[in-house]
Amino acid sequence: MNATTTANGHAEGHAGGHPDHGHQPAGLMRWLTTTNHKDIGTMYLWFSFAMFIVGGCMALMIRSELFQPGLQIVKPEFFNQLTTLHGLIMVFGAIMPAFVGFANWMIPLQIGASDMAFGRMNNWSFWLLPPAALLLVLSMFVPGGAAAAGWTLYPPLTIQQGMGMDMAIFAIHILGMSSIMGSINIITTILNLRAPGMTLMKMPLFSWTWLVTAYLIIAVMPILAGVVTMTLTDRHFGTHFFSAAGGGDPVLFQHIFWFFGHPEVYIVIIPGFGVVSQVISAFSRKPVFGYASMVYAIAAIGILSFTVWAHHMYTTGMPISAQLYFMYATMLIAVPTGVKIFNWTATMWRGSLSFETPMLFAIGFIFLFTLGGFSGLVLAMAAVDVQMQDTYYVVAHFHYTMVAGALFSAFAGAYYWLPKWTGHMYNEKLGKVHFWLSFIFFNMTFFVQHFLGIAGMPRRIPDYALQFTEFNQISTIGAFGFGLSQLLFLYIAISCIKGGEKAPAKPWDGAEGLEWEVPSPAPHHTWVVQPIVK
Amino acid sequence: MALATLAEVAWADYQLNFQEPATKLAREVYDLHMMMMYICGAIFVGVFGVMFYSVFKHRKSSGRTAATFHENTTVEMVWTVIPTLILIAMVWPVTKTLIAMRDASSADITIKATGYQWKWGYDYIKGEGEGIKFMSVLSTPRDQIEGRAPKGEHYLLETDNNVVVPVGKKIRILTTAEDVIHAWFVPAFAVKQDAVPGFIRDTSFRAEREGIYRGQCAELCGKDHGFMPIVVEVVSAEKYAVWVAGQKKKLAAAAEDPQKVWTLGELKQRGETVYAQNCAACHQPTGKGLPPAFPAIDGSKIATGPKEAHLNIVLNGKTGTSMQAFDKQLSDTDIAAVITYERNAWGNHAGDMVQPADVKAARQ
């Protein structure tokens, strides 16, 4: 961890060393052809923010319709398209690319590598994303509209849909290819390009979390691609994988999907664990407590995530023995997750704490993610889950882990590394305002949804019984507050790129790691000569 | 957790906890959930008590310097082992309840619930009332949904035919579906069971109190997923016997003479009602549909062409689309009526008729 020694007489001031990139194309061609990890990281981050806005607008349309009982704004069939695309776009278009953006930017800097292992493939991984996103968005305008079976795409409903479903399937194929290539790149980079002396157990936790995540992606994205392809052949080529009439089983899809889907939720959250570990340590001015147990906990969570998939399916009518097994296995995950939360608390204990924006988001993350963990524990209890399955309680639960979890940790990372990326300090006051607005409106939106679910309001309905009105109204107001607050982040980020107080190489006095030894902004090429870590 | 404390507060009319349980198992689930709330709440307060003590006391701005410790094997062992023990303690009562929940044996009455897009069909297949069957459709008027009329007390949670069961008897529900996956969900009974097309699943409940219990389909099943409620009326044994007798009489009356020849006017009149209940959700009351997912009938090739094709699609549905097979859902007379109506309504003037006998012949 304490890798602070640069080698070969390279002064920190020009760790970049290579002033010459006059041969590179400028303008649009620079971005189309770049193989530079920083350029590609930047593109990933902008792309994911754009998708976040698109998916967010869909969420606001959903919440608008749910502001009061009755059908006012959208038709039920369009409502289902919105919930489906909102899920697909947020998971595959916003959250996953955001963390791949962080990985591209930070992993080479953190491990002292000059770039990612496969530059050309890196470029291709990114440029697959825009066409996939376009397929998803444009599918709303084809006859029959977009896929409307929920992001989980359960058949036989998917068999009934129009060509929007095929477009979604192809988009998933392309997004999967992109993630797999990105992961191959990350694994190769981490395993082969670490600076001399940077052993795996000295590696910063963000890089560690990505190593585990990348393996998860390689393991499960082909499974998702397989299962949507089975849907495709059922739709068009007369197979009956999911049709009982032809000897298939609709529930088979759910088993395969969740064998992908459960590791997927950890793919979304684990890099966030890494960001938060580093931010908490930096602003507590103390090394991470239990570094080794953090690494083991991440690995344990990654492995266990393959053994719990059917807890998403307690009500499908599986045998009781299966219900019991999946319940016990799921609860086991609470142990390594608990270890992480205790370790973060112990990292803060007797530290020297300050509360800049990254720290606020990191603490917000721990606080809300723990709530999401507890509701997950409630859902894991099969007997209790019978009441909760497919209600708003589930919606509340996974937004606590995905929004307050993954998204908040992404904001923590963005504020933490913005000075390194742009060479300027962001506006601290506005950053704090952004945090508090996000925190308050997030809870306003999603906390009340627990009550809706407990009272029996099913998810994915465009209209509801009168007793659910008040909480839905609170939730909708919160959602608009949350959505608008994110425009503030856009403003903060753009002003930070354009100017502001000059950032030193290491703007946070408690931060550690090689990324803080290159200048801010990080020059186009860094660690051309690898540092030696002692 | 805040949830636990809030749940204790009687807060206006807002529902902060489960619906009042109406079965022993639902009450057990209620208690299990409360137990979880208290345990999680205690852990939450403990962990964040420590963290916020740190947040307030260990500040750089108050001149603290950071300690340097970064591991302690004993502490780390303790906070791995203790949560494991807590989990084991939690899981024990849940296991017991789960096993009880899944026992659907020795039921007094068995009812098959079939999910259709977007209604429920019920067949009483064993026990008192055997042979009763009916469809149960949302009875909230369209005007209330679209805001042209004030919403009633049980908006979206009311049906034309409620499931009626006797109090204190064990009711076994077999679920299945015709088209896509649905789920039979009644919160007061803590019962939720997916209805999977081509498969039969089961669940059961024994209601302890008379009353009307309302639930909804809980698995996304397409356009009108939000509009297929489940209403269960739990009544005394005597009332149930009366209801059974009434239903049997109704069934007998509905068994019409299949050889009767109907007039065009009679068929159209009956067909209009059948259409409104079964077809209008997709094909719309105007017959214009919602293309391309739900094609128009007004002016369509099938409704203006030979009647054999029309009979075929209504009886057997069309695979790969939402058009379901109505052969098991509707009687010969109803199918004859609705086809005749469709061929002679709006801009369609085929002028021909389909008689119940034609439907009977086509079924073979």
Side-chain angles (χ1 to χ4, degrees), chain A residues 71 286 290 293 316 318 323 350 352-353 386-387 389-390 455 463, chain B residues 19 58 60 64 67 70 76 95 102 117 145 155 187 192 201 218:
Chain A
L71 294 175
K286 237 177 109 227
S293 67
T316 53
M318 67 176 87
Q323 275 184 322
R350 290 177 54 208
S352 167
L353 275 60
V386 167
Q387 287 283 38
Q389 171 77 20
D390 275 313
D463 192 5
Chain B
Q19 297 180 17
H58 303 155
K60 189 186 178 210
R64 297 281 304 204
H70 58 85
E76 290 173 62
T95 304
R102 290 304 299 273
Q117 283 171 318
I145 296 170
Y155 177 71
K192 184 185 285 137
R201 311 289 200 210

PDB file of all heavy atoms in Angstrom, chain A residues 71 286 290 293 316 318 323 350 352-353 386-387 389-390 455 463, chain B residues 19 58 60 64 67 70 76 95 102 117 145 155 187 192 201 218:
ATOM      1  N   LEU A  71     -54.764   6.742 -14.573  1.00  0.00           N
ATOM      2  CA  LEU A  71     -53.797   6.872 -15.661  1.00  0.00           C
ATOM      3  C   LEU A  71     -53.857   8.296 -16.176  1.00  0.00           C
ATOM      4  O   LEU A  71     -54.907   8.762 -16.595  1.00  0.00           O
ATOM      5  CB  LEU A  71     -54.139   5.889 -16.782  1.00  0.00           C
ATOM      6  CG  LEU A  71     -54.006   4.407 -16.435  1.00  0.00           C
ATOM      7  CD1 LEU A  71     -54.493   3.546 -17.574  1.00  0.00           C
ATOM      8  CD2 LEU A  71     -52.569   4.067 -16.079  1.00  0.00           C
ATOM      9  N   LYS A 286      -5.599   7.700   7.889  1.00  0.00           N
ATOM     10  CA  LYS A 286      -5.217   6.465   8.557  1.00  0.00           C
ATOM     11  C   LYS A 286      -5.267   5.362   7.519  1.00  0.00           C
ATOM     12  O   LYS A 286      -6.140   5.379   6.658  1.00  0.00           O
ATOM     13  CB  LYS A 286      -6.251   6.153   9.653  1.00  0.00           C
ATOM     14  CG  LYS A 286      -5.681   6.001  11.051  1.00  0.00           C
ATOM     15  CD  LYS A 286      -6.818   5.779  12.021  1.00  0.00           C
ATOM     16  CE  LYS A 286      -6.812   4.356  12.522  1.00  0.00           C
ATOM     17  NZ  LYS A 286      -8.117   3.729  12.474  1.00  0.00           N
ATOM     18  N   GLY A 290      -7.564  -3.480   8.458  1.00  0.00           N
ATOM     19  CA  GLY A 290      -7.761  -4.856   7.988  1.00  0.00           C
ATOM     20  C   GLY A 290      -7.672  -4.987   6.482  1.00  0.00           C
ATOM     21  O   GLY A 290      -8.560  -5.578   5.864  1.00  0.00           O
ATOM     22  N   SER A 293      -8.077  -8.544   5.323  1.00  0.00           N
ATOM     23  CA  SER A 293      -9.430  -9.092   5.451  1.00  0.00           C
ATOM     24  C   SER A 293     -10.380  -8.413   4.469  1.00  0.00           C
ATOM     25  O   SER A 293     -11.377  -9.011   4.042  1.00  0.00           O
ATOM     26  CB  SER A 293      -9.940  -8.987   6.891  1.00  0.00           C
ATOM     27  OG  SER A 293     -10.131  -7.655   7.262  1.00  0.00           O
ATOM     28  N   THR A 316     -41.411 -18.887  -7.127  1.00  0.00           N
ATOM     29  CA  THR A 316     -41.690 -19.608  -8.371  1.00  0.00           C
ATOM     30  C   THR A 316     -42.217 -21.009  -8.098  1.00  0.00           C
ATOM     31  O   THR A 316     -42.663 -21.675  -9.017  1.00  0.00           O
ATOM     32  CB  THR A 316     -40.424 -19.767  -9.233  1.00  0.00           C
ATOM     33  OG1 THR A 316     -39.403 -20.342  -8.423  1.00  0.00           O
ATOM     34  CG2 THR A 316     -39.960 -18.449  -9.785  1.00  0.00           C
ATOM     35  N   MET A 318     -40.313 -23.443  -6.180  1.00  0.00           N
ATOM     36  CA  MET A 318     -39.213 -24.417  -6.094  1.00  0.00           C
ATOM     37  C   MET A 318     -39.420 -25.275  -4.841  1.00  0.00           C
ATOM     38  O   MET A 318     -40.161 -24.902  -3.944  1.00  0.00           O
ATOM     39  CB  MET A 318     -37.872 -23.697  -6.038  1.00  0.00           C
ATOM     40  CG  MET A 318     -37.661 -22.899  -4.786  1.00  0.00           C
ATOM     41  SD  MET A 318     -36.035 -22.159  -4.722  1.00  0.00           S
ATOM     42  CE  MET A 318     -36.285 -20.643  -5.585  1.00  0.00           C
ATOM     43  N   GLN A 323     -35.400 -23.822  -1.380  1.00  0.00           N
ATOM     44  CA  GLN A 323     -35.633 -22.541  -0.685  1.00  0.00           C
ATOM     45  C   GLN A 323     -34.723 -22.431   0.538  1.00  0.00           C
ATOM     46  O   GLN A 323     -34.125 -21.386   0.776  1.00  0.00           O
ATOM     47  CB  GLN A 323     -37.090 -22.454  -0.227  1.00  0.00           C
ATOM     48  CG  GLN A 323     -38.026 -21.934  -1.290  1.00  0.00           C
ATOM     49  CD  GLN A 323     -39.430 -21.789  -0.751  1.00  0.00           C
ATOM     50  OE1 GLN A 323     -39.894 -22.618   0.039  1.00  0.00           O
ATOM     51  NE2 GLN A 323     -40.127 -20.766  -1.171  1.00  0.00           N
ATOM     52  N   ARG A 350     -10.612   6.796  15.773  1.00  0.00           N
ATOM     53  CA  ARG A 350      -9.390   7.469  16.213  1.00  0.00           C
ATOM     54  C   ARG A 350      -8.529   7.971  15.053  1.00  0.00           C
ATOM     55  O   ARG A 350      -7.317   8.070  15.140  1.00  0.00           O
ATOM     56  CB  ARG A 350      -8.567   6.566  17.142  1.00  0.00           C
ATOM     57  CG  ARG A 350      -9.260   6.383  18.493  1.00  0.00           C
ATOM     58  CD  ARG A 350      -8.504   5.437  19.399  1.00  0.00           C
ATOM     59  NE  ARG A 350      -7.123   5.837  19.576  1.00  0.00           N
ATOM     60  CZ  ARG A 350      -6.127   4.982  19.830  1.00  0.00           C
ATOM     61  NH1 ARG A 350      -6.374   3.686  19.900  1.00  0.00           N
ATOM     62  NH2 ARG A 350      -4.908   5.411  19.990  1.00  0.00           N
ATOM     63  N   SER A 352      -8.114  11.145  12.015  1.00  0.00           N
ATOM     64  CA  SER A 352      -8.154  12.606  12.066  1.00  0.00           C
ATOM     65  C   SER A 352      -9.048  13.012  10.906  1.00  0.00           C
ATOM     66  O   SER A 352      -8.599  13.202   9.789  1.00  0.00           O
ATOM     67  CB  SER A 352      -6.733  13.150  11.935  1.00  0.00           C
ATOM     68  OG  SER A 352      -6.767  14.524  11.686  1.00  0.00           O
ATOM     69  N   LEU A 353     -10.362  13.073  11.201  1.00  0.00           N
ATOM     70  CA  LEU A 353     -11.348  13.104  10.128  1.00  0.00           C
ATOM     71  C   LEU A 353     -11.616  14.507   9.602  1.00  0.00           C
ATOM     72  O   LEU A 353     -11.678  15.466  10.374  1.00  0.00           O
ATOM     73  CB  LEU A 353     -12.677  12.519  10.633  1.00  0.00           C
ATOM     74  CG  LEU A 353     -12.840  11.002  10.561  1.00  0.00           C
ATOM     75  CD1 LEU A 353     -11.796  10.286  11.367  1.00  0.00           C
ATOM     76  CD2 LEU A 353     -14.232  10.609  11.000  1.00  0.00           C
ATOM     77  N   VAL A 386     -41.978 -14.004   0.915  1.00  0.00           N
ATOM     78  CA  VAL A 386     -43.251 -14.289   0.253  1.00  0.00           C
ATOM     79  C   VAL A 386     -44.126 -13.029   0.260  1.00  0.00           C
ATOM     80  O   VAL A 386     -44.821 -12.741  -0.706  1.00  0.00           O
ATOM     81  CB  VAL A 386     -43.954 -15.464   0.950  1.00  0.00           C
ATOM     82  CG1 VAL A 386     -45.388 -15.578   0.510  1.00  0.00           C
ATOM     83  CG2 VAL A 386     -43.206 -16.749   0.641  1.00  0.00           C
ATOM     84  N   GLN A 387     -44.039 -12.256   1.340  1.00  0.00           N
ATOM     85  CA  GLN A 387     -44.797 -11.007   1.376  1.00  0.00           C
ATOM     86  C   GLN A 387     -44.161  -9.910   0.518  1.00  0.00           C
ATOM     87  O   GLN A 387     -44.837  -9.030   0.016  1.00  0.00           O
ATOM     88  CB  GLN A 387     -44.877 -10.483   2.822  1.00  0.00           C
ATOM     89  CG  GLN A 387     -45.796 -11.249   3.710  1.00  0.00           C
ATOM     90  CD  GLN A 387     -47.256 -10.912   3.459  1.00  0.00           C
ATOM     91  OE1 GLN A 387     -47.676 -10.711   2.335  1.00  0.00           O
ATOM     92  NE2 GLN A 387     -48.031 -10.864   4.510  1.00  0.00           N
ATOM     93  N   GLN A 389     -41.686 -10.215  -2.130  1.00  0.00           N
ATOM     94  CA  GLN A 389     -41.309 -10.489  -3.522  1.00  0.00           C
ATOM     95  C   GLN A 389     -42.180  -9.706  -4.493  1.00  0.00           C
ATOM     96  O   GLN A 389     -43.404  -9.681  -4.369  1.00  0.00           O
ATOM     97  CB  GLN A 389     -41.468 -12.000  -3.778  1.00  0.00           C
ATOM     98  CG  GLN A 389     -41.337 -12.430  -5.221  1.00  0.00           C
ATOM     99  CD  GLN A 389     -39.888 -12.468  -5.675  1.00  0.00           C
ATOM    100  OE1 GLN A 389     -39.003 -12.537  -4.859  1.00  0.00           O
ATOM    101  NE2 GLN A 389     -39.671 -12.415  -6.963  1.00  0.00           N
ATOM    102  N   ASP A 390     -41.522  -9.062  -5.468  1.00  0.00           N
ATOM    103  CA  ASP A 390     -42.247  -8.307  -6.497  1.00  0.00           C
ATOM    104  C   ASP A 390     -43.118  -7.184  -5.950  1.00  0.00           C
ATOM    105  O   ASP A 390     -44.116  -6.819  -6.547  1.00  0.00           O
ATOM    106  CB  ASP A 390     -43.081  -9.245  -7.376  1.00  0.00           C
ATOM    107  CG  ASP A 390     -42.243  -9.826  -8.499  1.00  0.00           C
ATOM    108  OD1 ASP A 390     -41.528  -9.065  -9.162  1.00  0.00           O
ATOM    109  OD2 ASP A 390     -42.298 -11.060  -8.715  1.00  0.00           O
ATOM    110  N   ALA A 455     -46.969  -2.804   2.632  1.00  0.00           N
ATOM    111  CA  ALA A 455     -48.432  -2.746   2.588  1.00  0.00           C
ATOM    112  C   ALA A 455     -48.991  -3.520   1.401  1.00  0.00           C
ATOM    113  O   ALA A 455     -50.200  -3.666   1.278  1.00  0.00           O
ATOM    114  CB  ALA A 455     -48.894  -1.291   2.533  1.00  0.00           C
ATOM    115  N   ASP A 463     -50.642   2.058 -12.113  1.00  0.00           N
ATOM    116  CA  ASP A 463     -51.772   2.632 -11.396  1.00  0.00           C
ATOM    117  C   ASP A 463     -51.956   1.811 -10.128  1.00  0.00           C
ATOM    118  O   ASP A 463     -51.607   0.642 -10.111  1.00  0.00           O
ATOM    119  CB  ASP A 463     -53.029   2.532 -12.282  1.00  0.00           C
ATOM    120  CG  ASP A 463     -54.174   3.357 -11.734  1.00  0.00           C
ATOM    121  OD1 ASP A 463     -53.966   4.068 -10.730  1.00  0.00           O
ATOM    122  OD2 ASP A 463     -55.275   3.284 -12.309  1.00  0.00           O
TER     123      ASP A 463
ATOM    124  N   GLN B  19     -50.438  -5.693   6.128  1.00  0.00           N
ATOM    125  CA  GLN B  19     -51.869  -5.692   6.365  1.00  0.00           C
ATOM    126  C   GLN B  19     -52.159  -6.630   7.538  1.00  0.00           C
ATOM    127  O   GLN B  19     -51.433  -7.570   7.783  1.00  0.00           O
ATOM    128  CB  GLN B  19     -52.602  -6.167   5.106  1.00  0.00           C
ATOM    129  CG  GLN B  19     -52.372  -5.229   3.943  1.00  0.00           C
ATOM    130  CD  GLN B  19     -53.077  -5.677   2.673  1.00  0.00           C
ATOM    131  OE1 GLN B  19     -53.977  -6.503   2.696  1.00  0.00           O
ATOM    132  NE2 GLN B  19     -52.666  -5.113   1.557  1.00  0.00           N
ATOM    133  N   HIS B  58     -13.478  12.513  16.552  1.00  0.00           N
ATOM    134  CA  HIS B  58     -12.148  12.332  15.968  1.00  0.00           C
ATOM    135  C   HIS B  58     -11.954  13.215  14.751  1.00  0.00           C
ATOM    136  O   HIS B  58     -11.648  12.750  13.671  1.00  0.00           O
ATOM    137  CB  HIS B  58     -11.921  10.851  15.610  1.00  0.00           C
ATOM    138  CG  HIS B  58     -12.094   9.932  16.771  1.00  0.00           C
ATOM    139  ND1 HIS B  58     -12.426   8.610  16.649  1.00  0.00           N
ATOM    140  CD2 HIS B  58     -11.992  10.158  18.119  1.00  0.00           C
ATOM    141  CE1 HIS B  58     -12.529   8.047  17.844  1.00  0.00           C
ATOM    142  NE2 HIS B  58     -12.267   8.974  18.754  1.00  0.00           N
ATOM    143  N   LYS B  60     -10.317  16.249  12.489  1.00  0.00           N
ATOM    144  CA  LYS B  60      -9.085  16.985  12.274  1.00  0.00           C
ATOM    145  C   LYS B  60      -9.253  18.413  12.786  1.00  0.00           C
ATOM    146  O   LYS B  60      -8.348  18.982  13.392  1.00  0.00           O
ATOM    147  CB  LYS B  60      -8.757  16.997  10.784  1.00  0.00           C
ATOM    148  CG  LYS B  60      -7.369  17.553  10.504  1.00  0.00           C
ATOM    149  CD  LYS B  60      -7.132  17.683   9.010  1.00  0.00           C
ATOM    150  CE  LYS B  60      -5.770  18.290   8.754  1.00  0.00           C
ATOM    151  NZ  LYS B  60      -5.749  19.058   7.500  1.00  0.00           N
ATOM    152  N   ARG B  64      -7.311  16.572  16.271  1.00  0.00           N
ATOM    153  CA  ARG B  64      -6.931  15.174  16.461  1.00  0.00           C
ATOM    154  C   ARG B  64      -5.822  14.783  15.494  1.00  0.00           C
ATOM    155  O   ARG B  64      -5.825  15.178  14.335  1.00  0.00           O
ATOM    156  CB  ARG B  64      -8.118  14.244  16.186  1.00  0.00           C
ATOM    157  CG  ARG B  64      -9.275  14.426  17.095  1.00  0.00           C
ATOM    158  CD  ARG B  64      -9.074  13.762  18.427  1.00  0.00           C
ATOM    159  NE  ARG B  64      -8.776  12.335  18.306  1.00  0.00           N
ATOM    160  CZ  ARG B  64      -8.998  11.453  19.267  1.00  0.00           C
ATOM    161  NH1 ARG B  64      -9.530  11.848  20.399  1.00  0.00           N
ATOM    162  NH2 ARG B  64      -8.686  10.184  19.100  1.00  0.00           N
ATOM    163  N   ALA B  67      -4.437   7.939  14.779  1.00  0.00           N
ATOM    164  CA  ALA B  67      -3.709   6.774  15.277  1.00  0.00           C
ATOM    165  C   ALA B  67      -3.168   6.011  14.079  1.00  0.00           C
ATOM    166  O   ALA B  67      -3.525   6.304  12.938  1.00  0.00           O
ATOM    167  CB  ALA B  67      -4.640   5.900  16.105  1.00  0.00           C
ATOM    168  N   HIS B  70      -3.738  -0.546  12.187  1.00  0.00           N
ATOM    169  CA  HIS B  70      -4.486  -0.919  10.988  1.00  0.00           C
ATOM    170  C   HIS B  70      -4.858  -2.383  10.928  1.00  0.00           C
ATOM    171  O   HIS B  70      -5.322  -2.876   9.920  1.00  0.00           O
ATOM    172  CB  HIS B  70      -3.732  -0.496   9.723  1.00  0.00           C
ATOM    173  CG  HIS B  70      -2.361  -1.079   9.633  1.00  0.00           C
ATOM    174  ND1 HIS B  70      -2.112  -2.317   9.113  1.00  0.00           N
ATOM    175  CD2 HIS B  70      -1.162  -0.580  10.052  1.00  0.00           C
ATOM    176  CE1 HIS B  70      -0.815  -2.561   9.194  1.00  0.00           C
ATOM    177  NE2 HIS B  70      -0.213  -1.535   9.748  1.00  0.00           N
ATOM    178  N   GLU B  76     -11.007  -8.772  14.490  1.00  0.00           N
ATOM    179  CA  GLU B  76     -11.567  -9.198  13.219  1.00  0.00           C
ATOM    180  C   GLU B  76     -12.225 -10.570  13.318  1.00  0.00           C
ATOM    181  O   GLU B  76     -13.260 -10.821  12.689  1.00  0.00           O
ATOM    182  CB  GLU B  76     -10.475  -9.187  12.142  1.00  0.00           C
ATOM    183  CG  GLU B  76     -10.071  -7.753  11.785  1.00  0.00           C
ATOM    184  CD  GLU B  76      -8.877  -7.675  10.843  1.00  0.00           C
ATOM    185  OE1 GLU B  76      -8.994  -8.182   9.730  1.00  0.00           O
ATOM    186  OE2 GLU B  76      -7.844  -7.118  11.248  1.00  0.00           O
ATOM    187  N   THR B  95     -36.968 -20.857   9.361  1.00  0.00           N
ATOM    188  CA  THR B  95     -37.036 -22.193   8.770  1.00  0.00           C
ATOM    189  C   THR B  95     -38.322 -22.897   9.176  1.00  0.00           C
ATOM    190  O   THR B  95     -39.013 -23.502   8.358  1.00  0.00           O
ATOM    191  CB  THR B  95     -35.815 -23.018   9.206  1.00  0.00           C
ATOM    192  OG1 THR B  95     -34.643 -22.307   8.834  1.00  0.00           O
ATOM    193  CG2 THR B  95     -35.809 -24.378   8.554  1.00  0.00           C
ATOM    194  N   ARG B 102     -45.136 -24.231   3.430  1.00  0.00           N
ATOM    195  CA  ARG B 102     -45.101 -25.014   2.201  1.00  0.00           C
ATOM    196  C   ARG B 102     -45.921 -26.293   2.294  1.00  0.00           C
ATOM    197  O   ARG B 102     -46.008 -27.049   1.339  1.00  0.00           O
ATOM    198  CB  ARG B 102     -43.645 -25.342   1.840  1.00  0.00           C
ATOM    199  CG  ARG B 102     -42.832 -24.146   1.391  1.00  0.00           C
ATOM    200  CD  ARG B 102     -43.460 -23.426   0.211  1.00  0.00           C
ATOM    201  NE  ARG B 102     -43.583 -24.274  -0.973  1.00  0.00           N
ATOM    202  CZ  ARG B 102     -42.628 -24.424  -1.870  1.00  0.00           C
ATOM    203  NH1 ARG B 102     -41.504 -23.795  -1.752  1.00  0.00           N
ATOM    204  NH2 ARG B 102     -42.824 -25.212  -2.908  1.00  0.00           N
ATOM    205  N   GLN B 117     -54.099 -13.164 -19.375  1.00  0.00           N
ATOM    206  CA  GLN B 117     -53.903 -11.730 -19.584  1.00  0.00           C
ATOM    207  C   GLN B 117     -55.285 -11.108 -19.789  1.00  0.00           C
ATOM    208  O   GLN B 117     -55.879 -11.324 -20.841  1.00  0.00           O
ATOM    209  CB  GLN B 117     -53.034 -11.496 -20.809  1.00  0.00           C
ATOM    210  CG  GLN B 117     -51.552 -11.752 -20.516  1.00  0.00           C
ATOM    211  CD  GLN B 117     -50.708 -11.739 -21.761  1.00  0.00           C
ATOM    212  OE1 GLN B 117     -51.108 -12.293 -22.785  1.00  0.00           O
ATOM    213  NE2 GLN B 117     -49.547 -11.142 -21.716  1.00  0.00           N
ATOM    214  N   ILE B 145     -60.603   4.871 -13.892  1.00  0.00           N
ATOM    215  CA  ILE B 145     -59.174   4.749 -14.167  1.00  0.00           C
ATOM    216  C   ILE B 145     -58.682   5.956 -14.957  1.00  0.00           C
ATOM    217  O   ILE B 145     -57.620   6.499 -14.700  1.00  0.00           O
ATOM    218  CB  ILE B 145     -58.885   3.447 -14.934  1.00  0.00           C
ATOM    219  CG1 ILE B 145     -59.233   2.250 -14.059  1.00  0.00           C
ATOM    220  CG2 ILE B 145     -57.431   3.379 -15.396  1.00  0.00           C
ATOM    221  CD1 ILE B 145     -59.226   0.917 -14.768  1.00  0.00           C
ATOM    222  N   TYR B 155     -60.925   1.006  -5.357  1.00  0.00           N
ATOM    223  CA  TYR B 155     -60.377   1.254  -6.685  1.00  0.00           C
ATOM    224  C   TYR B 155     -59.288   0.249  -7.035  1.00  0.00           C
ATOM    225  O   TYR B 155     -58.317   0.093  -6.280  1.00  0.00           O
ATOM    226  CB  TYR B 155     -59.822   2.678  -6.707  1.00  0.00           C
ATOM    227  CG  TYR B 155     -59.154   3.084  -7.993  1.00  0.00           C
ATOM    228  CD1 TYR B 155     -59.902   3.292  -9.140  1.00  0.00           C
ATOM    229  CD2 TYR B 155     -57.772   3.276  -8.052  1.00  0.00           C
ATOM    230  CE1 TYR B 155     -59.293   3.665 -10.322  1.00  0.00           C
ATOM    231  CE2 TYR B 155     -57.151   3.647  -9.223  1.00  0.00           C
ATOM    232  CZ  TYR B 155     -57.911   3.845 -10.355  1.00  0.00           C
ATOM    233  OH  TYR B 155     -57.304   4.215 -11.526  1.00  0.00           O
ATOM    234  N   PRO B 187     -51.962 -10.396   0.443  1.00  0.00           N
ATOM    235  CA  PRO B 187     -51.080 -10.046   1.559  1.00  0.00           C
ATOM    236  C   PRO B 187     -51.593 -10.510   2.920  1.00  0.00           C
ATOM    237  O   PRO B 187     -50.793 -10.971   3.744  1.00  0.00           O
ATOM    238  CB  PRO B 187     -51.020  -8.518   1.498  1.00  0.00           C
ATOM    239  CG  PRO B 187     -51.381  -8.159   0.103  1.00  0.00           C
ATOM    240  CD  PRO B 187     -52.314  -9.228  -0.379  1.00  0.00           C
ATOM    241  N   LYS B 192     -48.186 -15.848  -1.707  1.00  0.00           N
ATOM    242  CA  LYS B 192     -47.835 -15.371  -3.040  1.00  0.00           C
ATOM    243  C   LYS B 192     -47.239 -16.550  -3.788  1.00  0.00           C
ATOM    244  O   LYS B 192     -46.268 -17.148  -3.344  1.00  0.00           O
ATOM    245  CB  LYS B 192     -46.824 -14.231  -2.971  1.00  0.00           C
ATOM    246  CG  LYS B 192     -46.504 -13.641  -4.344  1.00  0.00           C
ATOM    247  CD  LYS B 192     -45.408 -12.600  -4.282  1.00  0.00           C
ATOM    248  CE  LYS B 192     -45.905 -11.297  -3.693  1.00  0.00           C
ATOM    249  NZ  LYS B 192     -44.939 -10.739  -2.751  1.00  0.00           N
ATOM    250  N   ARG B 201     -48.449 -25.137  -9.665  1.00  0.00           N
ATOM    251  CA  ARG B 201     -47.791 -24.940  -8.370  1.00  0.00           C
ATOM    252  C   ARG B 201     -48.880 -24.892  -7.313  1.00  0.00           C
ATOM    253  O   ARG B 201     -50.051 -24.696  -7.642  1.00  0.00           O
ATOM    254  CB  ARG B 201     -47.033 -23.611  -8.352  1.00  0.00           C
ATOM    255  CG  ARG B 201     -46.153 -23.374  -9.536  1.00  0.00           C
ATOM    256  CD  ARG B 201     -44.950 -24.269  -9.499  1.00  0.00           C
ATOM    257  NE  ARG B 201     -43.883 -23.734 -10.346  1.00  0.00           N
ATOM    258  CZ  ARG B 201     -42.992 -24.485 -10.963  1.00  0.00           C
ATOM    259  NH1 ARG B 201     -43.036 -25.792 -10.863  1.00  0.00           N
ATOM    260  NH2 ARG B 201     -42.038 -23.934 -11.693  1.00  0.00           N
ATOM    261  N   ALA B 218     -48.898 -10.293  -8.933  1.00  0.00           N
ATOM    262  CA  ALA B 218     -47.613  -9.736  -8.498  1.00  0.00           C
ATOM    263  C   ALA B 218     -46.474 -10.018  -9.467  1.00  0.00           C
ATOM    264  O   ALA B 218     -45.334  -9.765  -9.131  1.00  0.00           O
ATOM    265  CB  ALA B 218     -47.258 -10.272  -7.113  1.00  0.00           C
TER     266      ALA B 218
END
